[in-house]
Amino acid sequence: LEDASIVADWAARFVLQRITQFAPGPGRHFVLGLPTGGTPLGMYRRLIDFHKEGRLSFKYVTTFNMDEYVGLPRDHPESYHYYMWNEFFKHVDIEPGNAHVLDGNAPDLVAECRRFEDLIAAAGGVHLFIGGIGPDGHIAFNEPGSSLVSRTRVKTLAYDTLEANKRFFGNDISKVPRQALTVGVGTVMDAKEVMILITGVHKSLALAKAVEEGVNHMWTVSAFQQHAQALFVCDEDATLELR
Ligand code: F6R
């Protein structure tokens, strides 16, 4: 698509269509996987518009977020809890108990990851997992070298990730959490459908690696070549490196 705003609009209309087609209701929830980051912000705004226009309800939608930092208070402006509540959940009619974000302050982080996988299974699996990627091809916090069959787990973040994220923490690398909880590549692969949003020239190498070379755990997004129903929604800039 032409640019990032058209990608956002397209993605939101795709979500609207999928939820509407499914016709959720009591005992029949649509299950959505969600990312944070800059890329999906425009999509969230459009979804909020659809809700306000009375075209879309989240009353029977259950959500699972991809990841969360370890040890950041929930109300810290960089926590993914804070992001999701402020950018999306509080503006729509989702039941708070149905909006699942990993708890990076859980006393037992391994148990928290297991609980999250169990919740996804109990919800009947994810219908549509939406994701974004980093310039190094990471999906969620599955950095280069992550197992392509990984499940939700605790990850110690690579130095490059800390460097890339320090801009959100007053440019002070010592303030960036060293660990995160993240869904695995395998967790996302299990979704019935996957939609990855990719915009900007800085993601163009990752997009080329993802679709034009072999499946490779150094570019974890390439795993979706083997998904039965995966969709990459890209802007022109992101396609610069495609042959
Ligand atoms: C988000 C996530 C990441 C981001 C990726 C891109 O929950 O896990 O994979 O989608 O880092 O971030 P932005 O959109 O800020 O470029």
Side-chain angles (χ1 to χ4, degrees):
L1 299 166
E2 218 170 302
D3 61 34
S5 72
I6 298 175
V7 167
D9 188 59
W10 197 98
R13 281 188 289 110
F14 187 82
V15 174
L16 170 70
Q17 189 210 62
R18 280 294 184 264
I19 296 178
T20 308
Q21 271 174 352
F22 184 81
R28 182 182 159 77
H29 279 219
F30 189 85
V31 183
L32 196 54
L34 295 175
T36 56
T39 313
L41 280 173
M43 176 191 73
Y44 288 135
R45 284 187 198 125
R46 290 296 293 137
L47 289 173
I48 294 165
D49 289 344
F50 294 155
H51 172 66
K52 295 205 163 130
E53 290 159 10
R55 296 164 69 189
L56 181 58
S57 168
F58 291 87
K59 192 162 166 48
Y60 301 110
V61 173
T62 295
T63 63
F64 291 94
N65 263 84
M66 297 197 120
D67 40 17
E68 176 59 290
Y69 285 117
V70 167
L72 270 195
R74 262 172 201 236
D75 57 356
H76 188 289
E78 290 306 328
S79 88
Y80 292 173
H81 270 89
Y82 184 93
Y83 171 109
M84 285 311 299
W85 281 97
N86 279 282
E87 302 294 350
F88 187 48
F89 295 147
K90 78 174 185 194
H91 305 286
V92 297
D93 60 344
I94 193 160
E95 299 283 346
N98 293 335
H100 303 287
V101 183
L102 283 152
D103 180 1
N105 294 295
D108 182 342
L109 295 172
V110 174
E112 169 62 8
C113 292
R114 207 176 307 125
R115 187 187 72 91
F116 200 74
E117 288 274 346
D118 290 348
L119 278 172
I120 294 176
V126 175
H127 291 110
L128 172 63
F129 222 126
I130 305 170
I133 65 164
D136 61 0
H138 71 246
I139 170 97
F141 274 117
N142 297 287
E143 298 169 314
S146 295
S147 160
L148 300 185
V149 293
S150 48
R151 311 303 307 185
T152 305
R153 66 208 185 290
V154 187
K155 284 283 282 176
T156 299
L157 302 178
Y159 187 77
D160 284 354
T161 304
L162 304 182
E163 265 293 321
N165 289 355
K166 75 176 183 194
R167 65 188 195 279
F168 301 118
F169 294 87
N171 254 346
D172 181 352
I173 200 163
S174 73
K175 296 223 164 68
V176 187
R178 310 257 138 169
Q179 288 189 312
L181 306 185
T182 181
V183 294
V185 180
T187 317
V188 184
M189 282 291 285
D190 281 354
K192 291 191 182 69
E193 195 166 20
V194 175
M195 175 169 71
I196 312 287
L197 311 181
I198 309 177
T199 61
V201 69
H202 60 305
K203 308 260 176 96
S204 58
L205 180 62
L207 176 59
K209 295 280 181 187
V211 301
E212 289 187 339
E213 291 188 15
V215 174
N216 180 343
H217 71 161
M218 297 314 285
W219 297 88
T220 55
V221 65
S222 66
F224 298 107
Q225 288 182 29
Q226 295 187 324
H227 193 282
Q229 219 167 323
L231 172 68
F232 287 9
V233 190
C234 313
D235 70 354
E236 282 281 349
D237 286 354
T239 64
L240 191 77
E241 297 283 339
L242 294 182
R243 272 184 231 128

